[in-house]
Amino acid sequence: MAEFVPYLVMAALVGVGLIGGLLFVFSNFAMRAFAKLPEGEGMRAMQEINRTILNPLFLVIFMGTTAVAAASVVVGVMHTAAVWSTGLIAGGLLFGLGVFVVTAAGNVPLNNRLDRAEADSEEGRALWATYLRVWTKYNHVRVVSSVLAILAYGQALWSC
């Protein structure tokens, strides 16, 4: 057995837990709270969050967890005979596809469109209505993927 695997899994669990928890906040209540704010205020709040979240600590955790997820898949594929390999591969794919790819292909393009919109314009209000619905659906996928990745990594750790 590769002695570093438990450490790889623990790093993945911490990263996925932090990112998944952040995403859960938005799916559970933040987006609904923004939707209830007076016209334009929720949109402006989300624009500021999207700008502020791009900070070094968040980026290190998000990109670091993505790198750990990719490494998990590689290590799992290299050790398919090990009991923990399935959990490593599943956890890595769940985070990589269900969180990173959905973020890059779904949420970020919506965030970029929102950033360019004027909250007090008719176009901005229409975009905000669509954004709330579509962005939140993508976010639900990210939350479920994070939870499933945690379970998969937990199985891997249990099997080490």
Side-chain angles (χ1 to χ4, degrees):
M1 174 176 83
E3 278 72 31
F4 66 90
V5 169
Y7 301 104
L8 180 68
V9 174
M10 286 186 279
L13 284 167
V14 169
V16 176
L18 287 169
I19 297 300
L22 171 70
L23 299 172
F24 174 75
V25 166
F26 283 88
S27 279
N28 186 45
F29 63 84
M31 298 308 285
R32 284 186 283 153
F34 294 152
K36 291 180 181 181
L37 290 173
E39 194 169 277
E41 288 184 29
M43 181 176 168
R44 280 189 282 276
M46 191 65 183
Q47 286 171 324
E48 281 306 313
I49 287 171
N50 288 336
R51 293 172 189 140
T52 306
I53 199 166
L54 298 176
N55 66 73
L57 180 58
F58 172 78
L59 291 171
V60 165
I61 293 169
F62 187 76
M63 297 310 289
T65 303
T66 301
V68 168
S72 298
V73 173
V74 171
V75 171
V77 168
M78 291 173 57
H79 295 89
T80 55
V83 177
W84 42 260
S85 69
T86 303
L88 272 186
I89 295 167
L93 289 174
L94 284 161
F95 188 85
L97 299 174
V99 179
F100 180 78
V101 170
V102 170
T103 299
N107 296 90
V108 168
L110 287 170
N111 291 347
N112 292 339
R113 283 185 59 207
L114 190 72
D115 190 55
R116 293 187 300 269
E118 292 293 326
D120 297 322
S121 71
E122 192 170 315
E123 291 174 32
R125 288 188 292 276
L127 173 61
W128 178 238
T130 301
Y131 180 95
L132 280 167
R133 187 180 68 259
V134 176
W135 189 97
T136 303
K137 284 181 183 179
Y138 286 140
N139 198 63
H140 292 337
V141 171
R142 299 187 303 173
V143 170
V144 170
S145 295
S146 294
V147 170
L148 293 175
I150 288 169
L151 292 172
Y153 281 127
Q155 182 276 329
L157 188 60
W158 183 267
S159 301
C160 286

